[in-house]
Amino acid sequence: MNVIYLIILILIVSINSFAISIENAVIKALENNYALKYKSKLVESKKFEYEASKANRYPSFIFDGKYTLLDDKKTEPFNTPFGAQDITILEKEYFEIFTGFRLNLYTGGLVTSSIEAKSHEQKIEKFKFLEEKNELIFKTKKAYLDILKLYSHKNVLEEYLKSLNKHLSDIKIMYEQGIVPYIDILQTEVKVEEVKQKTIDIENKIDVAKFNLATLMGVDDISFNVEDINNNLIFNLNLENLLRIAEENRAILKSFDENIFLIDSLKGVTKSGFLPKIYIQGGYQYSNSVDEVEPKGNFLIQVGINYTLEWSKPFYETKAKNSMKYALIKYKNDTKLKIFLEVQNAYKSFETAKKNLELAKTQEKKAKEYFRIIDLKYKEGLASNTDLLDANAMLVEAQMNIKNAHYDMLEKYFALEKAIGKELR
């Protein structure tokens, strides 16, 4: 019966929790993250604006209807050989309707430049989205690593607690035999409680870290578990190659290029203010403003020209855009240098993290050997309980340092991928 209860319990736990890999965590974040969805909709909005701007290339349909009511009909005297007569100029009330099409023949580059500007705005928003996506991928991976690191700390503490409990059990037996004093029991019990408190603190931190990852993934369920990461990293990296990849891939640099192109397009819009606009218009016009006039409806075609010069406004707007273009070029160069600095720092941090991991492994080997020797001495009465507990704590600290160094190396690797805007694996 106990076996059946155990099986049921295992099934319940397996249903209520599920394991997620770091790749799946990134996929979920890219699919569900609310901030990224917002950026995605901004890209979509700019796309629709670009498509809407193309409509200016084509004829526009016009329908204009008016109803007019005057205080009285308007007349004008007209002399004839038979006497003076009043001729109606406008009826007291009448309708006017025009329906047709209008096509811009020449706009001085206004339409073409406006479409190009919308195209660049769309690309700018897309590159902003890609930069946000790159940042989200790193944040998700880092949040995932934080959980793994905390679990590794918990595992170390649990093994430490087992070791202390076993030691405590041995001490109690030795105390009953009169080999060790009672103070050794108290000292070990204090250490056991200390480790229990640290374990509780770690468990709370795991929940907080899971909430952080869940927020990035756009979910509110933290019942998931995490899987360990395969160390399929590329260790032999070339800094010059990384800098080249960053310059080619970072979306923020591409957005600067599009911003510069946008300025050129907006200059075209501004310069069109110096030039006339020519259009052709045709359709059907109806008016019953004068009852005697027939026919009241006519088909017509018109060619028009419009020219409006707003004094020096286009001139100064062009100068303003030239200044903005110059500023963007300098800002792009500054951003590129900062990205190179980010890549260099990430590269150096990764190289340092690799060395730290090797040092931590050496430290653990020495701490393990030191604990083994102190343990033997303690059993022979040549070392105190304090010496043994200190040696055990030193070993645990060395094991923690390995975990920290391992996950720190992975984090630095992911930070390097973020810096260059591309996965290296």
Side-chain angles (χ1 to χ4, degrees):
M1 186 63 70
N2 290 335
V3 175
I4 296 175
Y5 287 145
L6 181 61
I7 294 173
I8 293 173
L9 180 61
I10 293 173
L11 287 174
I12 292 173
V13 171
S14 63
I15 291 172
N16 290 332
S17 63
F18 58 94
I20 183 172
S21 67
I22 191 169
E23 292 81 11
N24 287 336
V26 170
I27 291 171
K28 280 183 175 291
L30 296 179
E31 289 177 350
N32 301 321
N33 184 266
Y34 292 110
L36 196 66
K37 282 184 177 181
Y38 165 72
K39 291 289 185 181
S40 175
K41 286 300 178 182
L42 289 181
V43 174
E44 188 178 274
S45 174
K46 290 298 180 182
K47 177 183 177 182
F48 291 143
E49 287 182 11
Y50 170 61
E51 294 299 328
S53 67
K54 294 179 182 179
N56 293 323
R57 290 175 173 172
Y58 307 106
S60 54
F61 173 75
I62 302 170
F63 178 83
D64 184 23
K66 291 182 287 186
Y67 167 76
T68 304
L69 177 63
L70 305 175
D71 58 345
D72 198 359
K73 70 177 181 178
K74 304 302 178 184
T75 61
E76 188 174 296
F78 181 71
N79 294 321
T80 68
F82 305 101
Q85 293 183 353
D86 289 335
I87 302 297
T88 300
I89 304 301
L90 287 173
E91 299 292 342
K92 181 177 180 180
E93 56 179 312
Y94 58 91
F95 292 96
E96 291 179 303
I97 296 173
F98 175 78
T99 182
F101 293 89
R102 178 170 177 164
L103 176 64
N104 293 316
L105 299 178
Y106 176 74
T107 61
L110 174 63
V111 172
T112 302
S113 297
S114 297
I115 293 173
E116 288 177 354
K118 289 298 179 182
S119 174
H120 294 310
E121 286 179 3
Q122 177 191 358
K123 292 176 182 177
I124 290 168
E125 208 61 54
K126 179 182 177 182
F127 288 131
K128 287 181 180 178
F129 169 82
L130 292 175
E131 193 70 18
E132 186 80 15
K133 177 182 175 182
N134 185 45
E135 184 72 24
L136 176 61
I137 290 172
F138 171 69
K139 287 181 178 179
T140 303
K141 290 179 177 178
K142 183 180 182 303
Y144 193 95
L145 289 177
D146 289 341
I147 298 173
L148 281 176
K149 184 190 293 187
L150 289 168
Y151 269 122
S152 70
H153 289 179
K154 182 182 176 183
N155 292 337
V156 171
L157 289 177
E158 286 175 346
E159 291 299 317
Y160 185 26
L161 188 59
K162 288 179 183 178
S163 173
L164 287 173
N165 282 326
K166 182 179 181 303
H167 178 61
L168 180 60
S169 177
D170 292 341
I171 287 179
K172 288 179 178 179
I173 294 172
M174 294 168 70
Y175 170 72
E176 291 174 356
Q177 295 174 350
I179 300 175
V180 297
Y182 183 69
I183 194 172
D184 284 3
I185 295 176
L186 292 177
Q187 186 182 29
T188 306
E189 286 177 339
V190 169
K191 183 63 70 172
V192 167
E193 295 305 315
E194 180 184 326
V195 174
K196 286 181 180 179
Q197 289 177 349
K198 288 182 178 179
T199 303
I200 292 172
D201 183 55
I202 289 290
E203 289 172 346
N204 291 334
K205 288 180 178 178
I206 287 173
D207 285 342
V208 173
K210 281 188 172 184
F211 275 120
N212 181 36
L213 180 58
T215 300
L216 291 169
M217 294 191 301
V219 299
D220 55 7
D221 181 11
I222 64 165
S223 62
F224 58 85
N225 293 318
V226 291
E227 300 175 354
D228 208 353
I229 301 173
N230 295 323
N231 278 353
N232 55 340
L233 309 182
I234 299 174
F235 288 96
N236 298 320
L237 299 171
N238 180 271
L239 180 57
E240 293 300 321
N241 188 45
L242 293 172
L243 292 172
R244 179 186 58 78
I245 293 173
E247 187 173 6
E248 292 175 354
N249 283 278
R250 281 298 292 268
I252 190 171
L253 294 178
K254 296 177 182 178
S255 72
F256 274 111
D257 292 334
E258 290 300 326
N259 265 299
I260 292 168
F261 295 147
L262 172 62
I263 293 296
D264 288 334
S265 297
L266 293 177
K267 281 168 59 178
V269 173
T270 301
K271 289 178 179 179
S272 70
F274 289 109
L275 302 170
K277 313 295 185 293
I278 301 173
Y279 65 91
I280 184 171
Q281 179 173 289
Y284 178 78
Q285 181 174 282
Y286 173 87
S287 174
N288 63 352
S289 59
V290 182
D291 285 339
E292 288 80 6
V293 174
E294 293 291 344
K296 293 183 171 54
N298 296 278
F299 288 96
L300 60 87
I301 186 169
Q302 297 173 324
V303 176
I305 184 169
N306 175 267
Y307 182 73
T308 304
L309 181 61
E310 298 179 291
W311 296 98
S312 58
K313 180 181 177 181
F315 173 76
Y316 284 110
E317 284 185 347
T318 301
K319 289 179 71 68
K321 288 175 176 61
N322 285 332
S323 297
M324 178 60 73
K325 181 178 178 180
Y326 178 83
L328 282 171
I329 292 172
K330 298 302 178 185
Y331 193 23
K332 178 194 173 183
N333 292 336
D334 179 67
T335 302
K336 184 166 72 172
L337 291 176
K338 288 178 179 177
I339 287 174
F340 285 172
L341 178 61
E342 181 186 359
V343 173
Q344 290 171 335
N345 285 338
Y347 173 78
K348 292 296 183 183
S349 296
F350 176 62
E351 292 297 315
T352 302
K354 287 193 296 182
K355 295 175 183 177
N356 287 339
L357 179 57
E358 294 305 315
L359 290 173
K361 289 178 180 178
T362 302
Q363 180 193 23
E364 188 209 21
K365 288 179 182 178
K366 292 180 179 180
K368 190 176 291 185
E369 178 63 13
Y370 178 72
F371 175 71
R372 186 187 68 81
I373 294 172
I374 295 297
D375 186 43
L376 289 174
K377 285 188 174 183
Y378 176 77
K379 290 175 181 177
E380 295 174 0
L382 300 175
S384 67
N385 187 58
T386 301
D387 294 334
L388 182 62
L389 292 178
D390 288 346
N392 200 356
M394 186 184 297
L395 175 59
V396 169
E397 182 181 358
Q399 291 170 339
M400 288 283 198
N401 287 340
I402 280 189
K403 301 299 182 183
N404 290 336
H406 171 68
Y407 289 112
D408 184 59
M409 181 188 70
L410 290 174
E411 181 183 329
K412 301 306 182 189
Y413 190 84
F414 293 146
L416 183 56
E417 288 183 332
K418 180 186 81 73
I420 65 173
K422 180 183 178 181
E423 287 195 350
L424 288 167
R425 292 170 293 166

